[in-house]
């Protein structure tokens, strides 16, 4: 269980996103649960500003709690994220993510 995820400061440093285009988005978070063989995972994810190539390798549901970012699918479709936005990214979604203001989200990957 995770109470008040916006208030959580006890996070693990997960480094810099390896597919950066501009800037150096730094990610950190807290894993709440990891399923057998890593097939599923849920937790808290925090990312600082920057722009990178994004490839979603498993279905992912996200509830964005804070910050602002834009996802642009390789087809050109644009997803604007603001606080309290829920989004689903299907496996093999590809595009570019630009974080304008540090984002904090809770997520579930399957």
């Amino acid at each position: 269980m995770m109470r008040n995820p916006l208030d959580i400061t006890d996070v693990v440093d997960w480094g810099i996103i390896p597919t950066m285009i501009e800037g150096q988005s730094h990610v950190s978070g807290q894993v709440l649960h990891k399923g057998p063989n890593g097939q599923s995972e849920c937790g808290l994810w925090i990312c600082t500003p920057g722009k990178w190539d994004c490839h979603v390798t498993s279905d992912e549901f996200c509830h964005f709690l804070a910050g602002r970012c834009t996802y642009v699918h390789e087809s050109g479709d644009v997803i604007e994220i603001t606080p309290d936005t829920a989004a689903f990214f299907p496996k093999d979604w590809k595009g570019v993510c630009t974080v304008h203001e540090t984002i904090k989200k809770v997520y579930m990957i399957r």
Side-chain angles (χ1 to χ4, degrees):
M1 181 170 64
M2 185 179 288
R3 292 196 190 274
N4 303 314
L6 278 173
D7 297 335
I8 293 175
T9 57
D10 181 21
V11 295
V12 176
D13 179 353
W14 292 335
I16 303 292
I17 291 184
T19 56
M20 294 303 306
I21 298 170
E22 294 174 8
Q24 285 197 336
S25 290
H26 193 94
V27 292
S28 59
Q30 188 180 93
V31 174
L32 180 61
H33 174 77
K34 194 168 200 120
N37 303 317
Q39 293 173 335
S40 64
E41 179 179 308
C42 63
L44 173 71
W45 191 77
I46 302 165
C47 183
T48 62
K51 181 177 183 177
W52 72 89
D53 285 317
C54 181
H55 177 202
V56 178
T57 57
S58 298
D59 288 344
E60 181 175 357
F61 172 79
C62 310
H63 181 194
F64 292 84
L65 306 170
R68 194 172 58 84
C69 65
T70 305
Y71 287 88
V72 180
H73 188 267
E74 60 189 0
S75 70
D77 289 342
V78 177
I79 303 169
E80 293 290 345
I81 303 292
T82 56
D84 208 25
T85 299
F88 175 75
F89 296 93
K91 180 180 179 180
D92 288 327
W93 187 99
K94 292 180 183 176
V96 172
C97 177
T98 304
V99 175
H100 310 288
E101 298 169 7
T102 298
I103 55 173
K104 193 177 252 193
K105 71 178 184 181
V106 288
Y107 67 92
M108 174 65 191
I109 298 170
R110 64 174 178 142

